[in-house]
């Protein structure tokens, strides 16, 4: 073994790369064994506890080993020490947040993306940028927006896509009044006003990151008992505004009540008041694939920018966000990264100039694999099935003597609570999750504490709903 422990300063340098070269020689076996470990985790997610409630066995403070033992040994350690402590978030009864699973083709695409390890910056000597371009076009088709008008970029998630929406909108607003925020900073546009009724928490965070301020938006009223923008209030606030620069943030699928704004009417207001329309459609974008609900996103093609996600309802692995805009050159103004060493003069889209990151994962590949493997119809069937499941759970709750819906589900989320107090509901949520059969997350809606069951996983089947209902019943 040509490695040395407790090396003194003058000891010879040791080349530990032999471990890596040994691993390279047996890479075929390593990949097969990794496939086996992954496969049993994925299969096991049907039956394992949905969340791990005690991971104290894992010691985050353990020091890094001086000497490694190679990939197979590390794989065994991960299998024994880490995998048993994880959540079955890939499985069918993890209904927390808005958590997509991973279709087999998307998983394989993601593995390939790691194996071939492209830095998906642009078209220099690799087709990765062309693949991203095709994937963006396909995503436009799925969401029902014209791909000859919209262009975009893949991001790490909807949070960053919302940030890009804000930054591009602010730049465009500045250009309308003859100032250049990109060059001269936000202070040259002091009279920017942002209007939002139900901005997602990520958008509020982005207001802070963009230097606008998380409290610096005009809160528009929502319709009674809903998260949908109250159009009369929005109009009144636009009329009252003397800001020269305006951004309206609308929702196509709010995270609790899955409400959709009337995008057509809001687009008319944007036209009349010279405002940029950003639509947060993190998961709602794909509603267009369910012909029973496609009307909900009507008008989305009139947006200036749209946020969506791959790692939610498209069921590709984390992380994968989507940003689309009809003003790609404005986005490129804000995000361009120029240096002589980056100036390769290659033809094609340079994604380095469209987002936050310079170095980027080849996120287009898992999307491409998923869309190639299952097509538009396959993806549509996930959307339809999950909406049916949310409706099925809601129907059971509606007739349950101890439970009540907090709102009627329009899409894939069922929000409910017991008829008890908030404290009783907090305890009930804990008991439901402690069954290990399902994972729900909390919310507050209409001033009440409740639970969200968000159906976003292609693997959820009717028999899972039976288990979910049993778990809730047991915990009551
Ligand atoms: C409407 C909406 N916007 C934005 C986000 C943030 O998404 P991400 O976690 O992918 O950044 C979410 C997450 O649930 C969401 O539901």
């Amino acid at each position: 073994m040509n490695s040395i422990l407790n090396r003194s300063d003058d000891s010879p340098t040791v080349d530990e790369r032999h471990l890596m070269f040994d691993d390279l020689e047996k890479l075929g076996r390593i990949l097969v064994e990794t496939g086996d470990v992954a496969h049993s985790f994925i299969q096991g997610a049907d039956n394992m506890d949905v969340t791990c409630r005690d991971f104290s066995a894992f010691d985050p403070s353990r020091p890094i080993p001086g000497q490694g033992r190679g990939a197979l040994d590390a794989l065994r350690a991960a299998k024994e020490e880490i995998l048993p402590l994880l959540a079955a978030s890939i499985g069918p009864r993890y209904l927390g947040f808005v958590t997509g699973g991973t279709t087999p083709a998307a998983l394989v695409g993601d593995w390939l993306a790691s194996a071939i390890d492209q830095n998906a910056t642009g078209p220099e000597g690799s087709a990765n940028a062309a693949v991203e371009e095709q994937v963006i076009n396909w995503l436009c088709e799925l969401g029902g927006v014209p791909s000859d008008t919209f262009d975009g970029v893949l991001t790490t998630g909807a949070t960053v896509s919302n940030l890009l929406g804000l930054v591009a909108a602010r730049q465009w607003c500045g250009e309308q009044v003859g100032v250049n925020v990109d060059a001269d900073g936000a202070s040259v546009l002091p009279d920017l006003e942002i209007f939002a009724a139900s901005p997602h928490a990520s958008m509020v965070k982005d207001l802070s990151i963009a230097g606008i301020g998380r409290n610096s938006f005009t809160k528009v009223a929502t319709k009674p008992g809903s998260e949908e923008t109250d159009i009369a209030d929005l109009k009144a606030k636009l009329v009252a505004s003397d800001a020269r620069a305006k951004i309206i943030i609308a929702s196509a699928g709010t995270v609790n009540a899955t409400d959709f704004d009337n995008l057509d009417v809001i687009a008319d207001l944007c036209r009349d008041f010279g405002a940029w329309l950003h639509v947060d459609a993190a998961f709602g974008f794909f509603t267009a694939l369910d012909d029973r609900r496609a009307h909900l996103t009507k008008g989305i093609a009139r947006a200036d920018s749209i946020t969506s996600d791959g790692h939610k309802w498209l069921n590709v692995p984390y992380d994968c966000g989507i940003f689309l805009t009809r003003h790609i050159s404005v986005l490129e103004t804000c995000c361009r990264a120029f240096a002589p060493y980056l100036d390769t003069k290659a033809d094609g889209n340079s994604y380095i100039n469209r987002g936050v990151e310079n170095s980027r994962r080849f996120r287009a590949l898992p999307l491409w694999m998923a869309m190639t493997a299952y097509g538009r119809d396959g993806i549509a069937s996930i959307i339809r099935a999950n909406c049916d499941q949310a409706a099925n759970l809601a129907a059971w709750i509606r007739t349950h003597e101890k439970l009540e819906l907090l709102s009627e589900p329009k899409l894939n989320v069922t929000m409910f609570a017991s008829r008890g107090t908030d404290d009783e509901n907090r305890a009930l949520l804990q008991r439901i999750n402690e069954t290990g059969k399902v994972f729900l997350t909390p919310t507050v809606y209409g001033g009440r504490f409740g639970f969200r069951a968000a159906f976003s996983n292609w693997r959820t089947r009717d028999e899972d709903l039976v288990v979910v209902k049993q778990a809730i019943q047991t915990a009551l």
Side-chain angles (χ1 to χ4, degrees):
M1 183 62 101
N2 56 350
S3 63
I4 299 175
L5 273 178
N6 301 327
R7 211 161 12 106
S8 66
D9 283 351
D10 54 1
S11 59
T13 306
V14 182
D15 190 348
E16 284 284 0
R17 289 180 305 162
H18 70 92
L19 282 171
M20 298 161 213
F21 285 116
D22 287 351
D23 277 351
L24 185 59
E25 270 176 37
K26 44 182 191 270
L27 189 57
R29 185 176 146 214
I30 294 169
L31 292 177
V32 169
E33 288 202 21
T34 306
D36 289 344
V37 171
H39 188 214
S40 47
F41 185 88
I42 292 166
Q43 298 291 64
D46 272 325
N47 298 317
M48 66 194 264
D49 274 7
V50 178
T51 53
C52 172
R53 289 176 295 283
D54 178 10
F55 29 88
S56 54
F58 190 84
D59 175 9
S61 65
R62 194 173 74 187
I64 181 174
Q67 286 179 297
R69 293 167 307 184
L72 281 175
D73 222 86
L75 178 65
R76 264 171 235 127
K79 188 178 165 191
E80 283 161 23
E81 297 169 26
I82 299 179
L83 267 59
L85 307 181
L86 300 183
S89 50
I90 199 171
R93 279 173 275 104
Y94 188 99
L95 307 181
F97 313 106
V98 188
T99 307
T102 300
T103 57
L107 165 67
V108 171
D110 199 64
W111 277 14
L112 263 183
S114 290
I116 59 189
D117 198 23
Q118 307 285 289
N119 187 356
T121 54
E124 298 80 25
S126 169
N128 66 69
V131 178
E132 186 154 347
E133 188 178 339
Q134 184 177 72
V135 159
I136 297 276
N137 287 337
W138 287 358
L139 289 167
C140 286
E141 279 184 52
L142 292 184
V145 302
S147 58
D148 53 353
T149 311
F150 281 86
D151 203 342
V153 62
L154 300 176
T155 67
T156 52
T159 303
V160 167
S161 299
N162 279 337
L163 179 66
L164 296 184
L166 273 183
V167 167
R170 180 171 58 181
Q171 178 65 18
W172 177 86
C173 286
E175 288 175 9
Q176 305 310 299
V177 297
V179 299
N180 187 344
V181 176
D182 165 64
D184 302 319
S187 62
V188 297
L189 192 60
D191 58 342
L192 171 70
E193 187 165 358
I194 297 174
F195 303 82
S198 299
H200 184 263
S202 62
M203 183 56 93
V204 177
K205 163 174 161 172
D206 290 337
L207 286 168
S208 164
I209 296 172
I212 294 167
R214 53 176 80 228
N215 298 327
S216 294
F217 71 97
T218 300
K219 176 85 176 72
V220 178
T222 51
K223 285 187 170 176
S226 151
E227 291 176 327
E228 184 184 338
T229 300
D230 178 329
I231 299 289
D233 189 58
L234 173 60
K235 188 167 181 186
K237 290 196 159 100
L238 285 166
V239 169
S241 168
D242 50 16
R244 289 178 305 161
K246 301 183 189 70
I247 302 171
I248 297 179
I249 295 165
S251 298
T254 55
V255 77
N256 284 318
T258 55
D259 279 318
F260 287 75
D261 283 332
N262 188 332
L263 299 176
D264 249 339
V265 175
I266 295 180
D268 286 345
L269 290 175
C270 286
R271 181 198 57 211
D272 296 346
F273 289 87
W276 173 291
L277 173 56
H278 176 75
V279 179
D280 184 347
F283 53 100
F285 189 60
F286 303 104
T287 308
L289 291 168
D290 181 349
D291 42 16
R292 302 164 301 177
R293 295 178 172 81
H295 60 279
L296 293 171
T297 59
K298 189 167 170 290
I300 197 166
R302 295 176 64 195
D304 293 288
S305 55
I306 302 169
T307 281
S308 190
D309 250 332
H311 55 220
K312 292 189 168 70
W313 232 356
L314 264 187
N315 279 256
V316 303
Y318 293 102
D319 47 24
C320 180
I322 299 157
F323 179 70
L324 303 172
T325 178
R326 56 172 66 246
H327 307 274
I328 199 70
S329 61
V330 177
L331 180 70
E332 287 174 340
T333 299
C334 307
C335 297
R336 71 192 189 284
F338 180 77
Y341 88 102
L342 296 172
D343 188 16
T344 59
K345 305 250 180 314
D347 277 345
N349 294 336
S350 183
Y351 290 97
I352 200 174
N353 292 330
R354 292 187 175 188
V356 173
E357 309 134 311
N358 274 13
S359 296
R360 306 171 69 242
R361 182 173 178 73
F362 190 10
R363 290 191 192 95
L365 194 55
L367 284 167
W368 189 91
M369 288 285 290
M371 291 192 264
T372 301
Y374 309 119
R376 183 192 163 90
D377 292 350
I379 294 162
S381 66
I382 303 176
I383 307 302
R384 292 175 65 93
N386 287 157
C387 289
D388 289 348
Q389 287 153 359
N392 178 318
L393 182 62
W396 179 72
I397 288 162
R398 223 177 270 119
T399 57
H400 198 291
E401 54 179 5
K402 293 191 180 160
L403 299 173
E404 62 185 319
L405 288 173
L406 295 190
S407 88
E408 286 296 325
K410 288 124 208 142
L411 209 61
N412 59 331
V413 179
T414 311
M415 232 189 340
F416 66 103
S418 83
R419 295 183 193 278
T421 64
D422 283 0
D423 281 347
E424 284 165 347
N425 271 309
R426 271 188 204 96
L428 174 59
L429 178 61
Q430 197 173 338
R431 287 199 302 279
I432 293 171
N433 288 339
E434 275 171 5
T435 64
K437 300 289 182 198
V438 62
F439 181 63
L440 307 178
T441 42
T443 194
V444 173
Y445 187 77
R448 286 190 58 194
F449 180 91
F451 328 136
R452 292 171 65 262
F455 295 88
S456 328
N457 193 313
W458 71 276
R459 274 173 74 171
T460 309
R461 287 186 279 216
D462 289 351
E463 47 265 47
D464 292 302
L465 275 174
V466 174
V467 178
V468 168
K469 290 172 194 170
Q470 271 165 1
I472 297 169
Q473 189 63 45
T474 309
L476 270 167

